Amino acid sequence: NAGVTQTPKFRILKIGQSMTLQCTQDMNHNYMYWYRQDPGMGLKLIYYSVGAGITDKGEVPNGYNVSRSTTEDFPLRLELAAPSQTSVYFCASSYSSLASVPLPYEQYFGPGTRLTVT
Amino acid sequence: GQQLNQSPQSMFIQEGEDVSMNCTSSSIFNTWLWYKQDPGEGPVLLIALYKAGELTSNGRLTAQFGITRKDSFLNISASIPSDVGIYFCAGRYNAGNNRKLIWGLGTSLGVNP
């Protein structure tokens, strides 16, 4: 299993441009998450999804959009890039079932996308 | 919103020393997770805790779920240079259909060979 993969690894955007950060997992996890991590800071949740077709806002959703058309993929879209969106973006996934062991909150992370908006 | 207090913020130790760090919350948690992040990488899960009082080891790492359910501790014994990185705690508070983790701000660990 490749786990959680993210593309691209690095990207520089000009203000106002748009782009999509890709995230794919091959662990058949139903939950997927997008976080951003600013220098010296912890992780802030942007959006999450509990299954295909279902998404919900996290702590810092403004300026981002997501979709979840398949179990495997959870792309994050930036429509009008702003300097405040310069950050490292991490995708994560986990499995949830009432009968599952281990419990569903063990999240597995991708390697991250470093985005700079200038 | 909810936040975890993680301490210390950073520490620098000699190789071979033991290390302790902790996380506290104002709410009762029913899950505590400890992650390590190497430079330029995503966080990697080290230890997961699900019961108050639970003590779990992973090699030289030991973590405990506090009996008050509001704190957790991570200890690293006999530190080595590859222990360098940022250690994050994360937890889930007990509230209905809550599906999200709350994250600490991390403890940055340096090890002097």
Side-chain angles (χ1 to χ4, degrees), chain A residues 11 13-14 16-22 34 36 46-47 61-66 75-87 89 113-117:
Chain A
R11 185 72 187 268
L13 281 183
K14 293 193 185 304
Q17 286 185 322
S18 55
M19 76 164 293
T20 299
L21 283 67
Q22 302 291 346
W34 274 105
R36 59 176 287 173
I46 305 172
Y47 270 96
N62 291 345
Y64 307 95
N65 277 301
V66 293
L76 177 72
R77 180 132 182 104
L78 284 70
E79 289 294 348
L80 290 170
S84 60
Q85 293 178 306
T86 294
S87 190
Y89 291 84
T113 293
R114 276 168 176 68
L115 176 67
T116 301
V117 182

PDB file of all heavy atoms in Angstrom, chain A residues 11 13-14 16-22 34 36 46-47 61-66 75-87 89 113-117:
ATOM      1  N   ARG A  11       4.630  24.114  -4.763  1.00  0.00           N
ATOM      2  CA  ARG A  11       3.973  24.928  -5.775  1.00  0.00           C
ATOM      3  C   ARG A  11       4.096  26.387  -5.379  1.00  0.00           C
ATOM      4  O   ARG A  11       3.965  26.729  -4.202  1.00  0.00           O
ATOM      5  CB  ARG A  11       2.511  24.551  -5.910  1.00  0.00           C
ATOM      6  CG  ARG A  11       1.761  25.265  -7.016  1.00  0.00           C
ATOM      7  CD  ARG A  11       2.163  24.798  -8.399  1.00  0.00           C
ATOM      8  NE  ARG A  11       1.549  25.612  -9.428  1.00  0.00           N
ATOM      9  CZ  ARG A  11       0.386  25.329 -10.018  1.00  0.00           C
ATOM     10  NH1 ARG A  11      -0.285  24.246  -9.670  1.00  0.00           N
ATOM     11  NH2 ARG A  11      -0.105  26.134 -10.926  1.00  0.00           N
ATOM     12  N   LEU A  13       2.345  29.999  -6.374  1.00  0.00           N
ATOM     13  CA  LEU A  13       1.212  30.611  -7.064  1.00  0.00           C
ATOM     14  C   LEU A  13       1.313  32.127  -6.987  1.00  0.00           C
ATOM     15  O   LEU A  13       1.837  32.664  -6.000  1.00  0.00           O
ATOM     16  CB  LEU A  13      -0.108  30.212  -6.407  1.00  0.00           C
ATOM     17  CG  LEU A  13      -0.744  28.860  -6.681  1.00  0.00           C
ATOM     18  CD1 LEU A  13      -2.070  28.757  -5.952  1.00  0.00           C
ATOM     19  CD2 LEU A  13      -0.928  28.631  -8.169  1.00  0.00           C
ATOM     20  N   LYS A  14       0.785  32.785  -7.988  1.00  0.00           N
ATOM     21  CA  LYS A  14       0.635  34.239  -7.909  1.00  0.00           C
ATOM     22  C   LYS A  14      -0.732  34.542  -7.285  1.00  0.00           C
ATOM     23  O   LYS A  14      -1.681  33.752  -7.399  1.00  0.00           O
ATOM     24  CB  LYS A  14       0.735  34.862  -9.290  1.00  0.00           C
ATOM     25  CG  LYS A  14       2.108  34.733  -9.921  1.00  0.00           C
ATOM     26  CD  LYS A  14       2.242  35.626 -11.121  1.00  0.00           C
ATOM     27  CE  LYS A  14       3.561  35.437 -11.840  1.00  0.00           C
ATOM     28  NZ  LYS A  14       4.701  35.633 -10.938  1.00  0.00           N
ATOM     29  N   GLY A  16      -4.317  35.497  -6.690  1.00  0.00           N
ATOM     30  CA  GLY A  16      -5.461  35.433  -7.585  1.00  0.00           C
ATOM     31  C   GLY A  16      -5.537  34.191  -8.437  1.00  0.00           C
ATOM     32  O   GLY A  16      -6.602  33.900  -9.009  1.00  0.00           O
ATOM     33  N   GLN A  17      -4.434  33.441  -8.525  1.00  0.00           N
ATOM     34  CA  GLN A  17      -4.483  32.198  -9.290  1.00  0.00           C
ATOM     35  C   GLN A  17      -5.249  31.136  -8.509  1.00  0.00           C
ATOM     36  O   GLN A  17      -5.467  31.265  -7.302  1.00  0.00           O
ATOM     37  CB  GLN A  17      -3.061  31.696  -9.592  1.00  0.00           C
ATOM     38  CG  GLN A  17      -2.351  32.493 -10.664  1.00  0.00           C
ATOM     39  CD  GLN A  17      -0.996  31.888 -11.016  1.00  0.00           C
ATOM     40  OE1 GLN A  17      -0.262  31.397 -10.156  1.00  0.00           O
ATOM     41  NE2 GLN A  17      -0.659  31.928 -12.295  1.00  0.00           N
ATOM     42  N   SER A  18      -5.623  30.075  -9.215  1.00  0.00           N
ATOM     43  CA  SER A  18      -6.303  28.973  -8.544  1.00  0.00           C
ATOM     44  C   SER A  18      -5.543  27.678  -8.816  1.00  0.00           C
ATOM     45  O   SER A  18      -4.761  27.589  -9.764  1.00  0.00           O
ATOM     46  CB  SER A  18      -7.743  28.855  -9.014  1.00  0.00           C
ATOM     47  OG  SER A  18      -7.795  28.727 -10.399  1.00  0.00           O
ATOM     48  N   MET A  19      -5.743  26.711  -7.932  1.00  0.00           N
ATOM     49  CA  MET A  19      -5.113  25.408  -8.125  1.00  0.00           C
ATOM     50  C   MET A  19      -5.843  24.365  -7.293  1.00  0.00           C
ATOM     51  O   MET A  19      -6.617  24.707  -6.384  1.00  0.00           O
ATOM     52  CB  MET A  19      -3.636  25.428  -7.730  1.00  0.00           C
ATOM     53  CG  MET A  19      -3.364  25.412  -6.248  1.00  0.00           C
ATOM     54  SD  MET A  19      -1.658  24.972  -5.849  1.00  0.00           S
ATOM     55  CE  MET A  19      -1.578  23.259  -6.363  1.00  0.00           C
ATOM     56  N   THR A  20      -5.579  23.108  -7.629  1.00  0.00           N
ATOM     57  CA  THR A  20      -6.140  21.992  -6.885  1.00  0.00           C
ATOM     58  C   THR A  20      -5.015  21.146  -6.320  1.00  0.00           C
ATOM     59  O   THR A  20      -4.105  20.748  -7.055  1.00  0.00           O
ATOM     60  CB  THR A  20      -7.039  21.117  -7.773  1.00  0.00           C
ATOM     61  OG1 THR A  20      -8.112  21.918  -8.263  1.00  0.00           O
ATOM     62  CG2 THR A  20      -7.588  19.943  -6.999  1.00  0.00           C
ATOM     63  N   LEU A  21      -5.070  20.900  -5.021  1.00  0.00           N
ATOM     64  CA  LEU A  21      -4.144  19.980  -4.373  1.00  0.00           C
ATOM     65  C   LEU A  21      -4.804  18.606  -4.371  1.00  0.00           C
ATOM     66  O   LEU A  21      -5.941  18.447  -3.929  1.00  0.00           O
ATOM     67  CB  LEU A  21      -3.860  20.412  -2.931  1.00  0.00           C
ATOM     68  CG  LEU A  21      -2.889  21.573  -2.694  1.00  0.00           C
ATOM     69  CD1 LEU A  21      -3.469  22.872  -3.220  1.00  0.00           C
ATOM     70  CD2 LEU A  21      -2.573  21.695  -1.213  1.00  0.00           C
ATOM     71  N   GLN A  22      -4.032  17.616  -4.860  1.00  0.00           N
ATOM     72  CA  GLN A  22      -4.588  16.282  -4.969  1.00  0.00           C
ATOM     73  C   GLN A  22      -4.226  15.428  -3.762  1.00  0.00           C
ATOM     74  O   GLN A  22      -3.137  15.540  -3.212  1.00  0.00           O
ATOM     75  CB  GLN A  22      -4.077  15.603  -6.244  1.00  0.00           C
ATOM     76  CG  GLN A  22      -4.392  16.344  -7.532  1.00  0.00           C
ATOM     77  CD  GLN A  22      -5.877  16.325  -7.868  1.00  0.00           C
ATOM     78  OE1 GLN A  22      -6.658  15.564  -7.304  1.00  0.00           O
ATOM     79  NE2 GLN A  22      -6.271  17.188  -8.793  1.00  0.00           N
ATOM     80  N   TRP A  34      -8.307  17.525   5.400  1.00  0.00           N
ATOM     81  CA  TRP A  34      -7.287  18.461   4.939  1.00  0.00           C
ATOM     82  C   TRP A  34      -6.917  19.386   6.095  1.00  0.00           C
ATOM     83  O   TRP A  34      -7.793  19.983   6.740  1.00  0.00           O
ATOM     84  CB  TRP A  34      -7.773  19.308   3.763  1.00  0.00           C
ATOM     85  CG  TRP A  34      -7.580  18.665   2.439  1.00  0.00           C
ATOM     86  CD1 TRP A  34      -8.530  18.101   1.651  1.00  0.00           C
ATOM     87  CD2 TRP A  34      -6.343  18.529   1.733  1.00  0.00           C
ATOM     88  NE1 TRP A  34      -7.973  17.621   0.497  1.00  0.00           N
ATOM     89  CE2 TRP A  34      -6.624  17.862   0.531  1.00  0.00           C
ATOM     90  CE3 TRP A  34      -5.033  18.904   1.998  1.00  0.00           C
ATOM     91  CZ2 TRP A  34      -5.647  17.563  -0.423  1.00  0.00           C
ATOM     92  CZ3 TRP A  34      -4.058  18.609   1.063  1.00  0.00           C
ATOM     93  CH2 TRP A  34      -4.369  17.945  -0.130  1.00  0.00           C
ATOM     94  N   ARG A  36      -3.888  22.506   7.346  1.00  0.00           N
ATOM     95  CA  ARG A  36      -2.781  23.358   6.986  1.00  0.00           C
ATOM     96  C   ARG A  36      -1.904  23.558   8.216  1.00  0.00           C
ATOM     97  O   ARG A  36      -2.396  23.539   9.357  1.00  0.00           O
ATOM     98  CB  ARG A  36      -3.243  24.714   6.445  1.00  0.00           C
ATOM     99  CG  ARG A  36      -4.082  25.554   7.367  1.00  0.00           C
ATOM    100  CD  ARG A  36      -4.396  26.918   6.729  1.00  0.00           C
ATOM    101  NE  ARG A  36      -3.219  27.792   6.714  1.00  0.00           N
ATOM    102  CZ  ARG A  36      -3.192  28.967   6.101  1.00  0.00           C
ATOM    103  NH1 ARG A  36      -4.251  29.393   5.416  1.00  0.00           N
ATOM    104  NH2 ARG A  36      -2.113  29.712   6.153  1.00  0.00           N
ATOM    105  N   ILE A  46      -9.063  22.149   7.813  1.00  0.00           N
ATOM    106  CA  ILE A  46      -9.715  22.989   6.806  1.00  0.00           C
ATOM    107  C   ILE A  46     -11.085  22.411   6.461  1.00  0.00           C
ATOM    108  O   ILE A  46     -12.114  23.075   6.589  1.00  0.00           O
ATOM    109  CB  ILE A  46      -8.857  23.082   5.536  1.00  0.00           C
ATOM    110  CG1 ILE A  46      -7.442  23.574   5.854  1.00  0.00           C
ATOM    111  CG2 ILE A  46      -9.510  24.006   4.510  1.00  0.00           C
ATOM    112  CD1 ILE A  46      -6.494  23.500   4.669  1.00  0.00           C
ATOM    113  N   TYR A  47     -11.097  21.180   5.992  1.00  0.00           N
ATOM    114  CA  TYR A  47     -12.318  20.452   5.645  1.00  0.00           C
ATOM    115  C   TYR A  47     -12.105  18.977   5.967  1.00  0.00           C
ATOM    116  O   TYR A  47     -10.973  18.506   6.033  1.00  0.00           O
ATOM    117  CB  TYR A  47     -12.629  20.572   4.144  1.00  0.00           C
ATOM    118  CG  TYR A  47     -13.484  21.740   3.737  1.00  0.00           C
ATOM    119  CD1 TYR A  47     -12.899  22.918   3.278  1.00  0.00           C
ATOM    120  CD2 TYR A  47     -14.879  21.661   3.774  1.00  0.00           C
ATOM    121  CE1 TYR A  47     -13.681  23.998   2.889  1.00  0.00           C
ATOM    122  CE2 TYR A  47     -15.668  22.731   3.387  1.00  0.00           C
ATOM    123  CZ  TYR A  47     -15.065  23.907   2.940  1.00  0.00           C
ATOM    124  OH  TYR A  47     -15.840  24.968   2.555  1.00  0.00           O
ATOM    125  N   PRO A  61     -12.096  27.035   6.961  1.00  0.00           N
ATOM    126  CA  PRO A  61     -12.491  26.654   5.610  1.00  0.00           C
ATOM    127  C   PRO A  61     -12.480  27.784   4.581  1.00  0.00           C
ATOM    128  O   PRO A  61     -12.520  27.519   3.371  1.00  0.00           O
ATOM    129  CB  PRO A  61     -13.925  26.172   5.821  1.00  0.00           C
ATOM    130  CG  PRO A  61     -14.419  27.018   6.969  1.00  0.00           C
ATOM    131  CD  PRO A  61     -13.233  27.194   7.871  1.00  0.00           C
ATOM    132  N   ASN A  62     -12.432  29.049   5.041  1.00  0.00           N
ATOM    133  CA  ASN A  62     -12.582  30.161   4.102  1.00  0.00           C
ATOM    134  C   ASN A  62     -11.471  30.184   3.072  1.00  0.00           C
ATOM    135  O   ASN A  62     -10.289  30.117   3.396  1.00  0.00           O
ATOM    136  CB  ASN A  62     -12.627  31.487   4.863  1.00  0.00           C
ATOM    137  CG  ASN A  62     -13.890  31.630   5.677  1.00  0.00           C
ATOM    138  OD1 ASN A  62     -14.852  30.882   5.475  1.00  0.00           O
ATOM    139  ND2 ASN A  62     -13.905  32.564   6.600  1.00  0.00           N
ATOM    140  N   GLY A  63     -11.854  30.321   1.800  1.00  0.00           N
ATOM    141  CA  GLY A  63     -10.887  30.377   0.707  1.00  0.00           C
ATOM    142  C   GLY A  63     -10.604  29.027   0.077  1.00  0.00           C
ATOM    143  O   GLY A  63      -9.795  28.946  -0.854  1.00  0.00           O
ATOM    144  N   TYR A  64     -11.250  27.985   0.574  1.00  0.00           N
ATOM    145  CA  TYR A  64     -11.018  26.625   0.082  1.00  0.00           C
ATOM    146  C   TYR A  64     -12.345  25.959  -0.266  1.00  0.00           C
ATOM    147  O   TYR A  64     -13.387  26.300   0.283  1.00  0.00           O
ATOM    148  CB  TYR A  64     -10.319  25.774   1.146  1.00  0.00           C
ATOM    149  CG  TYR A  64      -9.048  26.367   1.701  1.00  0.00           C
ATOM    150  CD1 TYR A  64      -9.072  27.119   2.874  1.00  0.00           C
ATOM    151  CD2 TYR A  64      -7.827  26.174   1.067  1.00  0.00           C
ATOM    152  CE1 TYR A  64      -7.909  27.664   3.393  1.00  0.00           C
ATOM    153  CE2 TYR A  64      -6.666  26.716   1.582  1.00  0.00           C
ATOM    154  CZ  TYR A  64      -6.714  27.465   2.752  1.00  0.00           C
ATOM    155  OH  TYR A  64      -5.560  28.006   3.260  1.00  0.00           O
ATOM    156  N   ASN A  65     -12.253  24.970  -1.164  1.00  0.00           N
ATOM    157  CA  ASN A  65     -13.393  24.104  -1.442  1.00  0.00           C
ATOM    158  C   ASN A  65     -12.904  22.675  -1.597  1.00  0.00           C
ATOM    159  O   ASN A  65     -11.754  22.441  -1.984  1.00  0.00           O
ATOM    160  CB  ASN A  65     -14.094  24.533  -2.741  1.00  0.00           C
ATOM    161  CG  ASN A  65     -15.061  25.667  -2.493  1.00  0.00           C
ATOM    162  OD1 ASN A  65     -15.988  25.552  -1.709  1.00  0.00           O
ATOM    163  ND2 ASN A  65     -14.826  26.782  -3.156  1.00  0.00           N
ATOM    164  N   VAL A  66     -13.772  21.729  -1.303  1.00  0.00           N
ATOM    165  CA  VAL A  66     -13.432  20.321  -1.455  1.00  0.00           C
ATOM    166  C   VAL A  66     -14.585  19.588  -2.129  1.00  0.00           C
ATOM    167  O   VAL A  66     -15.708  20.087  -2.199  1.00  0.00           O
ATOM    168  CB  VAL A  66     -13.142  19.633  -0.105  1.00  0.00           C
ATOM    169  CG1 VAL A  66     -11.877  20.183   0.536  1.00  0.00           C
ATOM    170  CG2 VAL A  66     -14.330  19.763   0.834  1.00  0.00           C
ATOM    171  N   PRO A  75      -9.747  15.976  -3.267  1.00  0.00           N
ATOM    172  CA  PRO A  75      -8.994  17.156  -3.709  1.00  0.00           C
ATOM    173  C   PRO A  75      -9.401  18.418  -2.957  1.00  0.00           C
ATOM    174  O   PRO A  75     -10.562  18.592  -2.587  1.00  0.00           O
ATOM    175  CB  PRO A  75      -9.350  17.257  -5.198  1.00  0.00           C
ATOM    176  CG  PRO A  75     -10.676  16.573  -5.308  1.00  0.00           C
ATOM    177  CD  PRO A  75     -10.704  15.496  -4.272  1.00  0.00           C
ATOM    178  N   LEU A  76      -8.442  19.315  -2.784  1.00  0.00           N
ATOM    179  CA  LEU A  76      -8.654  20.616  -2.132  1.00  0.00           C
ATOM    180  C   LEU A  76      -8.412  21.705  -3.163  1.00  0.00           C
ATOM    181  O   LEU A  76      -7.366  21.749  -3.787  1.00  0.00           O
ATOM    182  CB  LEU A  76      -7.692  20.797  -0.959  1.00  0.00           C
ATOM    183  CG  LEU A  76      -7.746  22.143  -0.227  1.00  0.00           C
ATOM    184  CD1 LEU A  76      -9.020  22.242   0.609  1.00  0.00           C
ATOM    185  CD2 LEU A  76      -6.511  22.329   0.660  1.00  0.00           C
ATOM    186  N   ARG A  77      -9.379  22.589  -3.320  1.00  0.00           N
ATOM    187  CA  ARG A  77      -9.277  23.634  -4.339  1.00  0.00           C
ATOM    188  C   ARG A  77      -9.126  25.009  -3.699  1.00  0.00           C
ATOM    189  O   ARG A  77      -9.872  25.343  -2.763  1.00  0.00           O
ATOM    190  CB  ARG A  77     -10.507  23.614  -5.238  1.00  0.00           C
ATOM    191  CG  ARG A  77     -10.482  24.670  -6.329  1.00  0.00           C
ATOM    192  CD  ARG A  77     -10.841  24.091  -7.678  1.00  0.00           C
ATOM    193  NE  ARG A  77     -10.753  25.128  -8.715  1.00  0.00           N
ATOM    194  CZ  ARG A  77      -9.744  25.203  -9.579  1.00  0.00           C
ATOM    195  NH1 ARG A  77      -8.771  24.314  -9.550  1.00  0.00           N
ATOM    196  NH2 ARG A  77      -9.714  26.157 -10.495  1.00  0.00           N
ATOM    197  N   LEU A  78      -8.148  25.776  -4.214  1.00  0.00           N
ATOM    198  CA  LEU A  78      -7.995  27.177  -3.856  1.00  0.00           C
ATOM    199  C   LEU A  78      -8.437  27.985  -5.068  1.00  0.00           C
ATOM    200  O   LEU A  78      -7.873  27.842  -6.159  1.00  0.00           O
ATOM    201  CB  LEU A  78      -6.537  27.536  -3.551  1.00  0.00           C
ATOM    202  CG  LEU A  78      -5.941  27.108  -2.221  1.00  0.00           C
ATOM    203  CD1 LEU A  78      -5.753  25.609  -2.146  1.00  0.00           C
ATOM    204  CD2 LEU A  78      -4.621  27.821  -1.997  1.00  0.00           C
ATOM    205  N   GLU A  79      -9.458  28.819  -4.923  1.00  0.00           N
ATOM    206  CA  GLU A  79     -10.001  29.527  -6.070  1.00  0.00           C
ATOM    207  C   GLU A  79      -9.260  30.821  -6.380  1.00  0.00           C
ATOM    208  O   GLU A  79      -8.939  31.096  -7.517  1.00  0.00           O
ATOM    209  CB  GLU A  79     -11.487  29.830  -5.840  1.00  0.00           C
ATOM    210  CG  GLU A  79     -12.377  28.614  -5.889  1.00  0.00           C
ATOM    211  CD  GLU A  79     -12.427  27.960  -7.276  1.00  0.00           C
ATOM    212  OE1 GLU A  79     -11.949  28.568  -8.261  1.00  0.00           O
ATOM    213  OE2 GLU A  79     -12.935  26.828  -7.387  1.00  0.00           O
ATOM    214  N   LEU A  80      -9.022  31.643  -5.387  1.00  0.00           N
ATOM    215  CA  LEU A  80      -8.341  32.932  -5.566  1.00  0.00           C
ATOM    216  C   LEU A  80      -7.230  33.000  -4.528  1.00  0.00           C
ATOM    217  O   LEU A  80      -7.443  33.455  -3.417  1.00  0.00           O
ATOM    218  CB  LEU A  80      -9.321  34.098  -5.378  1.00  0.00           C
ATOM    219  CG  LEU A  80     -10.376  34.291  -6.452  1.00  0.00           C
ATOM    220  CD1 LEU A  80     -11.425  35.310  -6.016  1.00  0.00           C
ATOM    221  CD2 LEU A  80      -9.714  34.778  -7.756  1.00  0.00           C
ATOM    222  N   ALA A  81      -6.046  32.536  -4.919  1.00  0.00           N
ATOM    223  CA  ALA A  81      -4.977  32.402  -3.935  1.00  0.00           C
ATOM    224  C   ALA A  81      -4.595  33.748  -3.325  1.00  0.00           C
ATOM    225  O   ALA A  81      -4.516  34.776  -4.025  1.00  0.00           O
ATOM    226  CB  ALA A  81      -3.760  31.756  -4.577  1.00  0.00           C
ATOM    227  N   ALA A  82      -4.349  33.719  -2.023  1.00  0.00           N
ATOM    228  CA  ALA A  82      -3.928  34.904  -1.279  1.00  0.00           C
ATOM    229  C   ALA A  82      -2.665  34.566  -0.488  1.00  0.00           C
ATOM    230  O   ALA A  82      -2.452  33.399  -0.142  1.00  0.00           O
ATOM    231  CB  ALA A  82      -5.034  35.348  -0.326  1.00  0.00           C
ATOM    232  N   PRO A  83      -1.833  35.582  -0.186  1.00  0.00           N
ATOM    233  CA  PRO A  83      -0.602  35.309   0.580  1.00  0.00           C
ATOM    234  C   PRO A  83      -0.870  34.598   1.898  1.00  0.00           C
ATOM    235  O   PRO A  83      -0.025  33.821   2.360  1.00  0.00           O
ATOM    236  CB  PRO A  83      -0.021  36.705   0.798  1.00  0.00           C
ATOM    237  CG  PRO A  83      -0.510  37.505  -0.370  1.00  0.00           C
ATOM    238  CD  PRO A  83      -1.900  36.985  -0.634  1.00  0.00           C
ATOM    239  N   SER A  84      -2.022  34.829   2.496  1.00  0.00           N
ATOM    240  CA  SER A  84      -2.346  34.179   3.773  1.00  0.00           C
ATOM    241  C   SER A  84      -2.503  32.671   3.628  1.00  0.00           C
ATOM    242  O   SER A  84      -2.547  31.946   4.635  1.00  0.00           O
ATOM    243  CB  SER A  84      -3.640  34.761   4.361  1.00  0.00           C
ATOM    244  OG  SER A  84      -4.717  34.547   3.466  1.00  0.00           O
ATOM    245  N   GLN A  85      -2.599  32.188   2.396  1.00  0.00           N
ATOM    246  CA  GLN A  85      -2.723  30.749   2.163  1.00  0.00           C
ATOM    247  C   GLN A  85      -1.367  30.067   1.949  1.00  0.00           C
ATOM    248  O   GLN A  85      -1.313  28.858   1.707  1.00  0.00           O
ATOM    249  CB  GLN A  85      -3.642  30.488   0.974  1.00  0.00           C
ATOM    250  CG  GLN A  85      -5.085  30.890   1.263  1.00  0.00           C
ATOM    251  CD  GLN A  85      -5.999  30.689   0.083  1.00  0.00           C
ATOM    252  OE1 GLN A  85      -5.736  31.198  -1.019  1.00  0.00           O
ATOM    253  NE2 GLN A  85      -7.082  29.960   0.285  1.00  0.00           N
ATOM    254  N   THR A  86      -0.292  30.833   2.066  1.00  0.00           N
ATOM    255  CA  THR A  86       1.048  30.243   2.073  1.00  0.00           C
ATOM    256  C   THR A  86       1.172  29.357   3.298  1.00  0.00           C
ATOM    257  O   THR A  86       1.011  29.821   4.438  1.00  0.00           O
ATOM    258  CB  THR A  86       2.122  31.340   2.105  1.00  0.00           C
ATOM    259  OG1 THR A  86       2.081  32.071   0.889  1.00  0.00           O
ATOM    260  CG2 THR A  86       3.506  30.736   2.302  1.00  0.00           C
ATOM    261  N   SER A  87       1.421  28.061   3.070  1.00  0.00           N
ATOM    262  CA  SER A  87       1.411  27.114   4.177  1.00  0.00           C
ATOM    263  C   SER A  87       1.846  25.750   3.653  1.00  0.00           C
ATOM    264  O   SER A  87       2.104  25.576   2.459  1.00  0.00           O
ATOM    265  CB  SER A  87      -0.001  27.021   4.768  1.00  0.00           C
ATOM    266  OG  SER A  87      -0.006  26.292   5.983  1.00  0.00           O
ATOM    267  N   TYR A  89       0.298  22.006   3.380  1.00  0.00           N
ATOM    268  CA  TYR A  89      -1.011  21.371   3.423  1.00  0.00           C
ATOM    269  C   TYR A  89      -0.846  19.855   3.540  1.00  0.00           C
ATOM    270  O   TYR A  89      -0.114  19.235   2.767  1.00  0.00           O
ATOM    271  CB  TYR A  89      -1.807  21.718   2.157  1.00  0.00           C
ATOM    272  CG  TYR A  89      -2.204  23.164   2.124  1.00  0.00           C
ATOM    273  CD1 TYR A  89      -1.322  24.131   1.650  1.00  0.00           C
ATOM    274  CD2 TYR A  89      -3.449  23.565   2.593  1.00  0.00           C
ATOM    275  CE1 TYR A  89      -1.674  25.470   1.651  1.00  0.00           C
ATOM    276  CE2 TYR A  89      -3.807  24.901   2.589  1.00  0.00           C
ATOM    277  CZ  TYR A  89      -2.911  25.856   2.120  1.00  0.00           C
ATOM    278  OH  TYR A  89      -3.259  27.184   2.122  1.00  0.00           O
ATOM    279  N   THR A 113       2.048  19.187   0.898  1.00  0.00           N
ATOM    280  CA  THR A 113       2.288  20.062  -0.248  1.00  0.00           C
ATOM    281  C   THR A 113       2.688  21.426   0.287  1.00  0.00           C
ATOM    282  O   THR A 113       1.952  22.013   1.084  1.00  0.00           O
ATOM    283  CB  THR A 113       1.024  20.214  -1.117  1.00  0.00           C
ATOM    284  OG1 THR A 113       0.700  18.976  -1.730  1.00  0.00           O
ATOM    285  CG2 THR A 113       1.249  21.272  -2.201  1.00  0.00           C
ATOM    286  N   ARG A 114       3.859  21.905  -0.141  1.00  0.00           N
ATOM    287  CA  ARG A 114       4.322  23.224   0.278  1.00  0.00           C
ATOM    288  C   ARG A 114       3.877  24.258  -0.734  1.00  0.00           C
ATOM    289  O   ARG A 114       4.328  24.223  -1.872  1.00  0.00           O
ATOM    290  CB  ARG A 114       5.844  23.225   0.403  1.00  0.00           C
ATOM    291  CG  ARG A 114       6.296  22.717   1.711  1.00  0.00           C
ATOM    292  CD  ARG A 114       7.779  22.429   1.796  1.00  0.00           C
ATOM    293  NE  ARG A 114       8.106  22.038   3.155  1.00  0.00           N
ATOM    294  CZ  ARG A 114       7.705  20.920   3.733  1.00  0.00           C
ATOM    295  NH1 ARG A 114       6.978  20.063   3.067  1.00  0.00           N
ATOM    296  NH2 ARG A 114       8.029  20.655   4.976  1.00  0.00           N
ATOM    297  N   LEU A 115       3.021  25.161  -0.305  1.00  0.00           N
ATOM    298  CA  LEU A 115       2.456  26.165  -1.203  1.00  0.00           C
ATOM    299  C   LEU A 115       2.911  27.554  -0.788  1.00  0.00           C
ATOM    300  O   LEU A 115       2.809  27.921   0.375  1.00  0.00           O
ATOM    301  CB  LEU A 115       0.930  26.109  -1.176  1.00  0.00           C
ATOM    302  CG  LEU A 115       0.212  27.168  -2.010  1.00  0.00           C
ATOM    303  CD1 LEU A 115       0.472  26.941  -3.495  1.00  0.00           C
ATOM    304  CD2 LEU A 115      -1.282  27.157  -1.725  1.00  0.00           C
ATOM    305  N   THR A 116       3.409  28.303  -1.770  1.00  0.00           N
ATOM    306  CA  THR A 116       3.777  29.700  -1.547  1.00  0.00           C
ATOM    307  C   THR A 116       2.952  30.568  -2.490  1.00  0.00           C
ATOM    308  O   THR A 116       2.903  30.292  -3.692  1.00  0.00           O
ATOM    309  CB  THR A 116       5.269  29.939  -1.815  1.00  0.00           C
ATOM    310  OG1 THR A 116       6.041  29.099  -0.964  1.00  0.00           O
ATOM    311  CG2 THR A 116       5.647  31.392  -1.551  1.00  0.00           C
ATOM    312  N   VAL A 117       2.308  31.593  -1.944  1.00  0.00           N
ATOM    313  CA  VAL A 117       1.525  32.524  -2.747  1.00  0.00           C
ATOM    314  C   VAL A 117       2.205  33.893  -2.670  1.00  0.00           C
ATOM    315  O   VAL A 117       2.387  34.446  -1.588  1.00  0.00           O
ATOM    316  CB  VAL A 117       0.077  32.637  -2.251  1.00  0.00           C
ATOM    317  CG1 VAL A 117      -0.713  33.589  -3.157  1.00  0.00           C
ATOM    318  CG2 VAL A 117      -0.582  31.262  -2.220  1.00  0.00           C
TER     319      VAL A 117
END
